[in-house]
């Protein structure tokens, strides 16, 4: 039996799975897996998806082989052609295109099955070791994980490549061979054909030792992630801020681990470990009026009012710019969306719609409430974060600041000049600014 963890597969199927989806490349591994599933009567329909990357001249032949095989086995198949970016790593770009096609094809209650085996796992472990990783321990491919709201499972990770080939020969199965698997210019192929055979010849127990180390570290990593999940749930506020009061009791290493868990949940790539550790130290130890910041890959970590926030990097704002406000349709400005409603008895009166314009804070702006108030004080009273203040569109008419939009994301209500507030029977203009800063 080539699927050694059949019990886990049965447990996954029993968890309301309606369809098994096999990623069928035409290679021996996926051919063997599909054949085994069809003849094992797993109790749910089995379908296949073939991704035609179009990178080799034989690609159309491989697609036809898979379609013919599925026809022979009585399995429904979907063949999908993808466009692979040839800039950078073709191997990585092909993987991204392949997974995008998987996600588009998958339905709720599907279980995606990939035919990676133990030899693939050994190569992945070594590649990760050589390339370096900030994640704890020896890293390989997970046996299962989430994808597109469903589960992905690798049922052959405990099976060696030679066992799969024996299964294919025993059952008189044909498969296709990808000649690029012999290209030693690719790191994985170099490991497979040059390095691993030499390691196995000199150190016969090395491959099993690597697999054991991966299994050990996977268990340890699960414990670490469980702690991180618990810490994160304790520290996370309703507005997605992390309480410094809570995390300050954890110690810096646990806070680093907690932040990685937050990024995993939000599907955000990690910054470098060194940068993250330095950021955590600054967040926990710098003076209250300091503004520690970590920016990477379109994201930021910032501190505000005893909380840490994971944010999207926002576009630069030209604070000297001025824009006309016409009509009532929402429009994008300074990384957010400015909305306008006409509501009786609320907002401000506008004497000349053609003279209505938006500006940005320069410093020193004042608006008349019961008395003349500075925007700086108003923003401070509303606990508006520093990174939001200079991108809030300010509403002017005839050079008078008449309104500051409400900012629902930060619980700030609209601010109107007292002498321009709409009366109970007047139709007023109510401005709202939806800021898209938090991930």
């Amino acid at each position: 039996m080539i699927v050694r963890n059949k019990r886990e597969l049965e447990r996954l199927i029993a968890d309301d799975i309606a369809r098994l989806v096999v990623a069928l490349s035409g290679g021996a591994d996926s051919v063997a897996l599909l054949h085994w599933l069809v003849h094992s009567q797993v109790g749910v329909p089995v379908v296949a998806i073939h991704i035609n990357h179009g990178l080799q001249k034989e690609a159309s032949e491989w697609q036809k082989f898979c379609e013919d095989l599925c026809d022979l086995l009585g399995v429904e198949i979907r063949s999908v052609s993808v466009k692979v970016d040839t800039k950078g790593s073709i191997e990585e770009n092909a993987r991204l295109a392949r997974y995008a096609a998987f996600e588009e094809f998958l339905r709720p209650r599907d279980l995606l099955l990939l035919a990676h085996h133990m030899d693939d796992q050994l190569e992945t472990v070594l590649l990760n070791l050589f390339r370096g990783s900030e994640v704890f321990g020896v890293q390989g491919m997970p046996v299962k994980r989430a994808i597109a709201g469903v589960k992905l499972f690798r049922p052959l990770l405990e099976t060696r490549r030679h066992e799969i080939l024996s299964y294919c020969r025993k059952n008189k199965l044909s498969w296709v061979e990808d000649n690029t698997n012999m290209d030693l210019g690719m790191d994985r192929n170099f490991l497979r054909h040059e390095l691993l055979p030499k390691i196995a010849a000199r150190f016969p127990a090395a491959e099993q030792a690597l697999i054991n180390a991966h299994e050990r570290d996977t268990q340890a990593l699960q414990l670490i992630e469980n702690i991180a999940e618990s810490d994160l749930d304790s520290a996370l506020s309703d507005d997605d801020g992390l309480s410094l009061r809570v995390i300050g009791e954890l110690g810096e290493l646990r806070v680093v681990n907690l932040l990685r868990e937050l990024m995993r949940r939000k599907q955000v790539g990690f910054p470098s470990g060194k940068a993250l550790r330095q950021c955590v130290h600054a967040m926990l130890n710098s003076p209250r009026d300091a503004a520690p910041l970590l920016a990477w890959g379109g994201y930021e970590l910032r501190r505000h009012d005893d909380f840490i926030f994971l944010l999207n990097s926002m576009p630069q704002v030209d604070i000297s710019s001025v824009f006309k406000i016409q009509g009532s349709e929402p429009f994008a400005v300074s990384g957010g969306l400015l909305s306008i409603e006409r509501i009786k008895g609320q907002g401000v009166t506008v004497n000349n719609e053609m003279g209505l314009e938006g500006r940005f804070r320069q410093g020193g702006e004042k608006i008349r409430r019961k008395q003349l108030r500075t925007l700086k004080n108003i923003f401070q009273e509303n606990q508006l974060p520093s990174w939001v203040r200079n991108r809030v569109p300010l509403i002017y008419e005839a050079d008078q600041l008449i309104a500051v939009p409400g900012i629902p994301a930060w619980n700030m209500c609209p601010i109107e000049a007292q002498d321009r507030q709409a009366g109970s029977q007047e139709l007023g203009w109510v401005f709202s600014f939806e800021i898209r800063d938090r991930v």
Side-chain angles (χ1 to χ4, degrees):
M1 182 171 69
I2 61 168
V3 176
R4 294 217 164 82
N5 50 2
K6 183 181 179 183
R7 185 168 297 177
E8 177 63 14
L9 176 61
E10 291 171 342
R11 190 191 68 77
L12 289 170
I13 292 172
D15 189 21
D16 199 30
I17 291 298
R19 191 173 68 154
L20 300 182
V21 179
V22 178
L24 182 64
S25 67
D29 317 324
S30 58
V31 167
L33 177 58
L34 181 65
H35 181 271
W36 182 86
L37 288 168
V38 169
H39 289 82
S40 293
Q41 298 180 337
V42 290
V44 292
V46 177
V47 301
I49 179 170
H50 172 76
I51 309 301
N52 186 336
H53 299 93
L55 295 173
Q56 287 87 23
K57 64 180 184 298
E58 301 90 353
S60 296
E61 297 174 17
W62 298 342
Q63 176 176 325
K64 185 175 187 309
F65 170 85
C66 291
E67 291 169 349
D68 289 346
L69 174 65
C70 287
D71 186 54
L72 182 66
L73 294 174
V75 171
E76 175 189 340
I77 183 171
R78 169 79 61 84
S79 295
V80 180
S81 295
V82 297
K83 184 174 178 59
V84 178
D85 189 351
T86 55
K87 295 178 182 177
S89 169
I90 293 180
E91 189 176 10
E92 174 63 12
N93 293 339
R95 188 188 71 84
L96 293 173
R98 183 165 60 250
Y99 275 83
F102 290 158
E103 293 187 14
E104 188 172 339
F105 177 72
L106 292 169
R107 304 174 188 167
R109 299 175 60 207
D110 276 351
L111 177 62
L112 176 64
L113 301 179
L114 303 187
H116 297 115
H117 47 73
M118 187 181 290
D119 296 63
D120 293 325
Q121 184 73 296
L122 281 167
E123 295 160 10
T124 301
V125 164
L126 284 176
L127 283 171
N128 288 336
L129 281 173
F130 295 157
R131 290 169 178 169
S133 171
E134 289 293 341
V135 181
F136 168 83
V138 176
Q139 296 295 306
M141 293 177 284
V143 176
K144 56 188 175 184
R145 69 175 180 87
I147 175 175
V150 301
K151 292 187 178 74
L152 176 156
F153 182 54
R154 295 181 171 96
L156 300 182
L157 275 188
E158 296 179 10
T159 308
R160 297 302 300 257
R161 165 78 170 169
H162 68 83
E163 296 176 285
I164 293 171
L165 293 176
S166 294
Y167 177 91
C168 289
R169 295 186 186 107
K170 179 181 177 180
N171 291 278
K172 297 181 173 55
L173 300 177
S174 300
W175 63 89
V176 301
E177 293 284 1
D178 183 351
N179 291 331
T180 62
N181 287 335
M182 302 303 295
D183 180 1
L184 299 183
M186 295 183 177
D187 292 342
R188 185 175 289 273
N189 293 341
F190 177 78
L191 286 178
R192 179 180 303 163
H193 300 298
E194 293 288 325
L195 189 57
L196 275 170
K198 291 179 181 178
I199 291 175
R202 185 64 181 261
F203 305 100
E207 291 185 346
Q208 189 57 51
L210 276 173
I211 292 296
N212 292 344
H214 171 253
E215 291 176 353
R216 175 203 66 209
D217 287 0
T218 297
Q219 293 171 2
L221 181 60
Q222 185 61 60
L223 290 175
I224 291 171
E225 290 178 350
N226 288 345
I227 293 170
E229 289 174 1
S230 176
D231 288 346
L232 179 58
D233 290 338
S234 299
L236 203 58
S237 65
D238 291 340
D239 58 0
D240 285 338
L242 295 170
S243 168
L244 284 166
R245 180 186 60 79
V246 174
I247 66 177
E249 302 293 326
L250 300 178
E252 292 185 11
L253 288 178
R254 278 176 70 176
V255 176
V256 167
N257 199 36
L258 176 156
L259 286 169
R260 286 199 178 111
E261 176 59 27
L262 174 63
M263 293 170 198
R264 269 192 292 270
R265 287 191 190 180
K266 299 290 187 178
Q267 297 184 322
V268 167
F270 296 164
S272 75
K274 180 179 179 181
L276 186 56
R277 289 189 293 272
Q278 290 174 340
C279 172
V280 167
H281 181 79
M283 295 281 186
L284 297 180
N285 297 288
S286 57
R288 184 179 175 84
D289 59 351
L293 163 68
L294 174 60
W296 79 100
Y299 302 99
E300 298 176 350
L301 282 173
R302 289 182 182 263
R303 191 178 70 181
H304 169 67
D305 274 356
D306 296 325
F307 289 89
I308 296 173
F309 291 93
L310 176 61
L311 306 166
N312 295 300
S313 293
M314 305 295 287
Q316 291 291 321
V317 176
D318 178 4
I319 62 173
S320 65
S321 62
V322 177
F323 58 91
K324 290 292 183 182
I325 299 175
Q326 297 176 337
S328 58
E329 290 298 316
F331 60 94
V333 60
S334 60
L337 195 68
L338 181 63
S339 300
I340 306 165
E341 288 188 271
R342 305 292 299 277
I343 302 177
K344 187 175 181 180
Q346 296 184 34
V348 293
T349 57
V350 174
N351 298 324
N352 177 15
E353 292 186 23
M354 298 302 294
L356 208 57
E357 61 186 25
R359 303 179 188 176
F360 297 99
R361 185 172 172 234
Q362 308 284 315
E365 290 86 357
K366 296 180 180 180
I367 188 168
R368 182 163 295 283
R369 303 290 284 163
K370 290 183 179 179
Q371 58 186 2
L372 207 56
R373 300 288 309 282
T374 66
L375 278 189
K376 179 179 179 180
N377 287 339
I378 289 173
F379 286 162
Q380 288 174 339
E381 288 176 0
N382 282 275
Q383 298 180 317
L384 194 66
S386 59
W387 63 85
V388 176
R389 296 177 188 181
N390 286 346
R391 63 180 63 250
V392 177
L394 309 177
I395 314 303
Y396 281 80
E397 184 186 4
D399 286 331
Q400 179 191 358
L401 177 57
I402 64 171
V404 179
I407 307 175
W410 291 101
N411 301 313
M412 186 175 119
C413 296
I415 307 293
E416 297 100 10
Q418 187 176 40
D419 61 338
R420 300 298 295 271
Q421 288 178 329
S424 60
Q425 300 304 311
E426 290 182 292
L427 197 61
W429 294 56
V430 180
F431 298 90
S432 178
F433 184 56
E434 294 287 349
I435 183 78
R436 302 163 181 170
D437 56 346
R438 275 171 284 191
V439 177

